[in-house]
Amino acid sequence: MTRKDTAVPMHRVAIASFAGTTIEFYDFFIYGTAAALVFAPVFFPALGAAAGTVAAFATFGVAFFFRPVGSILFGHFGDRLGRKRTLVATLLLMGLSTFAIGLLPSAEMIGVLAPVVLVVLRALQGLAVGGEWAGAALLTTEYAPAHKRGLYSMFPQLGPGIALALSSVTFLATTLTLSPEAFREWGWRLPFLISILLVAVGLYIRLKVDETPVFRQVESRNEQVRLPFATALRHQWREVLLTGGTLTMIFAFFYIGSVYLMSYASSTPGHGVLGLSRPTVLVGALIGALVFAATCVLSALWSDRYGRRRVILVGNVLAVVAGPLAFVIMQPGNAVSFVAGMVLLMVVVGIPYGPAAAYLPEIFAARYRYTGAGMGYNLAGIVGGAIPLIVAPPLTAAFGGIGVGIYLAALGLLSVLCVLVLPETKDEVLDGTVPASAPV
């Protein structure tokens, strides 16, 4: 490292990474909560309760199909121009898109144009978050000392858990202070509008951090590739597919727990199964989010001691059992059983998610690391994030909650098989050279 590199405090890098992912995923998650609670009557009133909920979840899933596009687009600039500049761009795009959703008129006011614009704004959110995670992971991983890479890489991983907690608290506050009619008419917009203040804070923090030392080494040697996407696929297409499969379980468990269960546990006619009140459901989500964040901390620390691959494998193996078990635990009308099922899902997610921000960057070569890690991560978002939310309602209708649980177990098995093929990377040297596990 150069003298300038050592002068950058790691706590500043960690805060910048944590703040950015928290804000971006807060913006991302409030959409999911709103989709579960209110988007059906606001944007799809003509479809009825059940079909409207499916349509609302489908718009939520749109973002997952744009996340790989975002990883390619922002990965290109992140690998050619630098991690810092690209992360500023993703934060701005996410913030403006989220704020616009808060201002979007309902279908009652502008007809079919409302859901069309909603889908467009959701796609922009997907582009932004698709470029966010890899950059935030690289920001900490490429700065951190080798023996503490798992420790510092946990900070971007804390973002989703804290963001889900903030989203739950925000909606809980509006639910408790507003009537159901007021919440449906305008109260749901408040979390979206407030987010612009968080974005301003995040931008201020990120602008205080210098470019990573690893990227500066690549830049000084003029080793940037012209098309990072094509180069990553040419040299490490296998790793892109395998890392995507390895993380599929994470996305499936997390979004079933944080989004689908909001609807599954509710008392809303047409799609609620457990019959719980909205505040109870939101409190359960809040508890699950905090447990998830705590588990990420522990597993990230364990990965520095025991290895990334081993910790991730443990989480994926547990998922095969935990998926069905969570839905067996949750019983209608029983709030404690709902919280227990939610916590089980979130613990299983947190075990492999904690080390992921160190594991993926360690697998890919520095000259296309932003793009490669982003593609693997967001490929998992489609298979594990978008598709389960679409198939969960019909699975529940046909087989009950256990149908969703078995589906989660199958995705857990897929992730087990994929991580078994990947190497251990804990001792990789991230100095701008090619990892030992990566072909040249």
Side-chain angles (χ1 to χ4, degrees), residues 229-240:
F229 167 66
T231 307
L233 288 183
R234 182 164 65 250
H235 294 302
Q236 290 191 268
W237 63 268
R238 180 173 171 271
E239 285 79 3
V240 170

Side-chain angles (χ1 to χ4, degrees), residues 3 29 51 204 206 283 297 312 354 383 391 399 408 430:
R3 197 165 170 154
F29 291 154
Y204 174 79
R206 280 198 167 165
V283 169
V297 173
I312 291 173
V383 182
V391 304
F399 306 105
L408 290 177
L430 298 185

Side-chain angles (χ1 to χ4, degrees), residues 187-245:
W188 67 268
R189 300 178 184 275
L190 295 178
F192 290 86
L193 300 177
I194 291 171
S195 71
I196 200 68
L197 301 176
L198 300 178
V199 170
V201 173
L203 283 174
Y204 174 79
I205 294 172
R206 280 198 167 165
L207 289 171
K208 293 288 185 181
V209 177
D210 295 328
E211 185 53 74
T212 71
V214 172
F215 179 78
R216 284 202 295 269
Q217 290 177 23
V218 172
E219 189 176 38
S220 66
R221 295 195 292 258
N222 198 28
E223 291 180 350
Q224 297 105 310
V225 294
R226 182 179 179 185
L227 294 173
F229 167 66
T231 307
L233 288 183
R234 182 164 65 250
H235 294 302
Q236 290 191 268
W237 63 268
R238 180 173 171 271
E239 285 79 3
V240 170
L241 294 178
L242 288 173
T243 53

Side-chain angles (χ1 to χ4, degrees), residues 127-144:
L127 287 175
V129 81
E132 164 67 24
W133 181 84
L138 267 58
L139 193 65
T140 51
T141 303
E142 293 185 343
Y143 261 113

Side-chain angles (χ1 to χ4, degrees), residues 217-285:
Q217 290 177 23
V218 172
E219 189 176 38
S220 66
R221 295 195 292 258
N222 198 28
E223 291 180 350
Q224 297 105 310
V225 294
R226 182 179 179 185
L227 294 173
F229 167 66
T231 307
L233 288 183
R234 182 164 65 250
H235 294 302
Q236 290 191 268
W237 63 268
R238 180 173 171 271
E239 285 79 3
V240 170
L241 294 178
L242 288 173
T243 53
T246 295
L247 301 187
T248 290
M249 180 281 289
I250 293 174
F251 278 86
F253 274 61
F254 185 81
Y255 284 102
I256 288 296
S258 64
V259 177
Y260 179 66
L261 285 188
M262 298 298 98
S263 173
Y264 179 84
S266 73
S267 58
T268 305
H271 50 85
V273 174
L274 300 185
L276 302 177
S277 67
R278 184 177 295 171
T280 299
V281 173
L282 290 170
V283 169

Side-chain angles (χ1 to χ4, degrees), residues 11-38:
H11 75 270
R12 184 185 299 174
V13 176
I15 291 172
S17 180
F18 167 72
T21 54
T22 299
I23 293 163
E24 291 237 10
F25 279 96
Y26 168 81
D27 287 358
F28 199 74
F29 291 154
I30 57 176
Y31 188 103
T33 305
L37 298 180
V38 77

Side-chain angles (χ1 to χ4, degrees), residues 111-405:
V112 71
L113 186 61
V116 170
V117 176
L118 181 69
V119 169
V120 171
L121 293 173
R122 184 59 179 166
L124 292 176
Q125 283 190 319
L127 287 175
V129 81
E132 164 67 24
W133 181 84
L138 267 58
L139 193 65
T140 51
T141 303
E142 293 185 343
Y143 261 113
H147 63 291
K148 293 184 177 180
R149 206 177 289 145
L151 165 65
Y152 285 109
S153 294
M154 79 177 178
F155 285 93
Q157 304 304 80
L158 289 175
I162 301 304
L164 179 59
L166 289 175
S167 172
S168 300
V169 167
T170 305
F171 275 99
L172 181 61
T174 55
T175 297
L176 294 177
T177 56
L178 298 174
S179 67
E181 293 76 19
F183 179 79
R184 194 185 77 170
E185 290 296 325
W186 57 270
W188 67 268
R189 300 178 184 275
L190 295 178
F192 290 86
L193 300 177
I194 291 171
S195 71
I196 200 68
L197 301 176
L198 300 178
V199 170
V201 173
L203 283 174
Y204 174 79
I205 294 172
R206 280 198 167 165
L207 289 171
K208 293 288 185 181
V209 177
D210 295 328
E211 185 53 74
T212 71
V214 172
F215 179 78
R216 284 202 295 269
Q217 290 177 23
V218 172
E219 189 176 38
S220 66
R221 295 195 292 258
N222 198 28
E223 291 180 350
Q224 297 105 310
V225 294
R226 182 179 179 185
L227 294 173
F229 167 66
T231 307
L233 288 183
R234 182 164 65 250
H235 294 302
Q236 290 191 268
W237 63 268
R238 180 173 171 271
E239 285 79 3
V240 170
L241 294 178
L242 288 173
T243 53
T246 295
L247 301 187
T248 290
M249 180 281 289
I250 293 174
F251 278 86
F253 274 61
F254 185 81
Y255 284 102
I256 288 296
S258 64
V259 177
Y260 179 66
L261 285 188
M262 298 298 98
S263 173
Y264 179 84
S266 73
S267 58
T268 305
H271 50 85
V273 174
L274 300 185
L276 302 177
S277 67
R278 184 177 295 171
T280 299
V281 173
L282 290 170
V283 169
L286 172 61
I287 294 171
L290 295 176
V291 169
F292 167 63
T295 307
C296 284
V297 173
L298 293 175
S299 63
L301 295 174
W302 291 336
S303 77
D304 276 333
R305 181 172 181 179
Y306 301 109
R308 326 284 185 226
R309 180 176 175 270
R310 184 177 298 177
V311 174
I312 291 173
L313 180 60
V314 168
N316 288 346
V317 169
L318 290 175
V320 178
V321 177
L325 182 59
F327 281 87
V328 171
I329 290 173
M330 290 183 286
Q331 296 297 315
N334 191 320
V336 174
S337 71
F338 165 65
V339 173
M342 170 74 80
V343 166
L344 176 60
L345 292 177
M346 291 303 177
V347 166
V348 170
V349 173
I351 294 172
Y353 193 68
Y359 192 49
L360 267 66
E362 288 169 343
I363 285 176
F364 292 95
R367 62 189 187 276
Y368 51 76
R369 180 173 290 144
Y370 199 130
T371 303
M375 285 194 297
Y377 184 82
N378 290 297
L379 174 62
I382 294 179
V383 182
I387 296 176
L389 287 176
I390 294 172
V391 304
L395 281 175
T396 301
F399 306 105
I402 192 64
V404 180

